[in-house]
Amino acid sequence: MSPDQLVSGGQELAAPLQIALFLSALAFLSSALVTLTAFTRIVIVLSFARRALSTQEIPPTPVLLGLALFLTLFVMGPTFEAIDQNALTPYMDKELSAPQACELAWAELRQFMIRQTRKSDLQLFLDLAKSEPPETAADIPARVLVPAFVTSELKTAFIMGFCLYVPFLLIDLVVSVVLMSLGMMMMPPVIISTPLKLLLFVLVDGWPVLLRALTTSFH
């Protein structure tokens, strides 16, 4: 293979090498989806909702994952559009090199992640990394920002999950007290409480309320 086939203009990678890099990037796509986007918070809150309703595997896991994926695309839409305009399209038009496009794409993702990351979590990982306080957001290293972002997402998801559990827990307590007062201690409370939970969830238009709360939590 000649040098002209390896590079074009001294900057562009050969087509076979670009394909190889693209396939390698796909292998990390699932990890990037979980650690760099809104997916983690959304899927955890949806899982909490299913458990709070005591409906076992309803909705099925594939349904929750599909909903979480497309809700992630909805929430991340402005960020992905900015990446497309500022990085992907110029790269496809050969106006930017691959490293430049990656840097611009990371800058857009970094802005989203910083907005969702608590300062306490960021400071925690800065202390663990023994790094100096960054002067600007662009100075925050990825090895600090990514775990801080994921930690903040987990914390937020668990707070929302707790808020989901409280009203349904009250229903469980009331049903248990009523069954005990009636002497029906051998009947599992879940048999009575689950239909009541579903009725309450339907009456308050639960899914739209939950999805609205999820999407607005990223603003």
Side-chain angles (χ1 to χ4, degrees):
M1 181 178 293
S2 66
D4 292 338
Q5 293 175 315
L6 288 174
V7 294
S8 174
Q11 293 183 351
E12 296 298 327
L13 298 174
L17 189 54
Q18 290 182 1
I19 295 174
L21 291 175
F22 176 74
L23 294 176
S24 300
L26 287 179
F28 295 98
L29 184 60
S30 59
S31 297
L33 177 67
V34 172
T35 56
L36 305 179
T37 70
F39 182 82
T40 296
R41 183 191 306 185
I42 293 172
V43 74
I44 289 176
V45 172
L46 292 178
S47 298
F48 269 122
R50 182 173 67 180
R51 289 181 177 272
L53 288 170
S54 303
T55 53
Q56 302 300 324
E57 294 299 321
I58 301 173
T61 299
V63 174
L64 287 186
L65 290 177
L67 178 59
L69 176 60
F70 282 97
L71 199 59
T72 300
L73 295 177
F74 177 80
V75 171
M76 299 291 297
T79 301
F80 289 155
E81 289 177 2
I83 291 175
D84 179 63
Q85 293 177 1
N86 300 329
L88 183 59
T89 299
Y91 172 71
M92 298 300 294
D93 294 337
K94 299 184 178 180
E95 298 175 2
L96 294 175
S97 63
Q100 291 173 328
C102 290
E103 180 62 29
L104 290 173
W106 168 244
E108 297 294 339
L109 271 177
R110 182 173 56 211
Q111 291 181 12
F112 170 80
M113 295 167 68
I114 289 175
R115 288 198 303 269
Q116 307 302 326
T117 303
R118 290 178 171 82
K119 292 182 179 180
S120 59
D121 295 327
L122 189 59
Q123 186 61 50
L124 168 65
F125 285 95
L126 285 171
D127 294 339
L128 292 176
K130 298 180 180 180
S131 299
E132 295 294 331
E135 296 182 0
T136 64
D139 297 328
I140 302 176
R143 69 188 183 96
V144 170
L145 179 57
V146 173
F149 169 74
V150 175
T151 302
S152 291
E153 290 295 281
L154 290 173
K155 186 181 298 184
T156 303
F158 274 67
I159 291 173
M160 297 181 70
F162 171 78
C163 294
L164 275 171
Y165 257 96
V166 170
F168 298 116
L169 179 61
L170 293 177
I171 292 177
D172 285 331
L173 291 175
V174 170
V175 170
S176 297
V177 170
V178 170
L179 290 178
M180 290 182 64
S181 64
L182 294 175
M184 303 174 64
M185 291 178 290
M186 298 301 294
M187 176 177 288
V190 69
I191 296 178
I192 306 298
S193 64
T194 298
L196 294 178
K197 291 178 182 180
L198 292 175
L199 178 62
L200 174 64
F201 198 68
V202 171
L203 289 178
V204 300
D205 210 9
W207 286 114
V209 171
L210 176 60
L211 298 183
R212 179 187 293 273
L214 270 173
T215 54
T216 55
S217 69
F218 291 95
H219 294 166

